[in-house]
Amino acid sequence: MQATTRAVLGGATTVVGVVGVLVAALTACQQTAGAAVPRSSATGTTTAATTPATIAASSCGVVRLDQGERVPEPAWACLDAALDAGRAASLVVTQPTTEGDPIVLTYRVGGDVQGMEVVTDDRADEFAPPDSRGLHRGLCTGTVRVAEPRDCRPA
């Protein structure tokens, strides 16, 4: 089975890549980075974080969860280690609503963040009231272990 990726370059659509090329590139990046990147157990998806808030931070991965799945423990451990060391790190998790709409949570620690920052993007949640959809930022200043946030408030 062959899949393609389309990129828009200067207004023209160019077909690039084959799954094998993408897998090889991702594998090479992971090997040169020297760190394990968490995977979702059911989907096996692994990619690098590329959102503007996470580019400067080291990545603890991008995880796409299916219904009933949980964030893999190594992803939380990665953020915990960064939090303990005062080093900037992020984790991006996409999880479905009950109806299957994607909710994207970006967790950040260290750097300019006191405790843990959680940005929730629920703009794709078709069942949420339109006036409540958006990007929601919370700051959990008392967090010691990221899987158990403390003292969280809207920021």
Side-chain angles (χ1 to χ4, degrees):
M1 181 164 141
Q2 193 173 17
T4 58
T5 302
R6 296 186 185 273
V8 177
L9 303 170
T13 301
T14 307
V15 177
V16 262
V18 178
V19 170
V21 173
L22 295 173
V23 170
L26 284 172
T27 302
C29 288
Q30 288 176 0
Q31 288 172 348
T32 58
V37 178
R39 301 177 179 257
S40 166
S41 59
T43 61
T45 54
T46 304
T47 57
T50 57
T51 60
T54 60
I55 290 174
S58 66
S59 175
C60 289
V62 174
V63 180
R64 184 170 193 88
L65 301 175
D66 286 330
Q67 289 289 355
E69 287 188 313
R70 294 178 179 251
V71 174
E73 188 55 39
W76 291 138
C78 175
L79 281 179
D80 284 339
L83 181 64
D84 289 345
R87 162 175 67 74
S90 66
L91 170 66
V92 179
V93 176
T94 301
Q95 61 187 35
T97 62
T98 302
E99 299 83 14
D101 295 331
I103 304 295
V104 180
L105 297 115
T106 302
Y107 299 90
R108 284 189 337 124
V109 298
D112 63 342
V113 177
Q114 176 68 32
M116 179 177 65
E117 175 188 66
V118 181
V119 177
T120 304
D121 181 352
D122 63 0
R123 293 175 290 186
D125 184 358
E126 293 186 29
F127 289 90
D131 59 339
S132 70
R133 289 183 211 148
L135 294 174
H136 311 280
R137 181 176 174 261
L139 193 58
C140 304
T141 56
T143 298
V144 176
R145 179 169 148 66
V146 296
E148 300 165 358
R150 294 186 185 167
D151 303 323
C152 298
R153 293 178 177 77

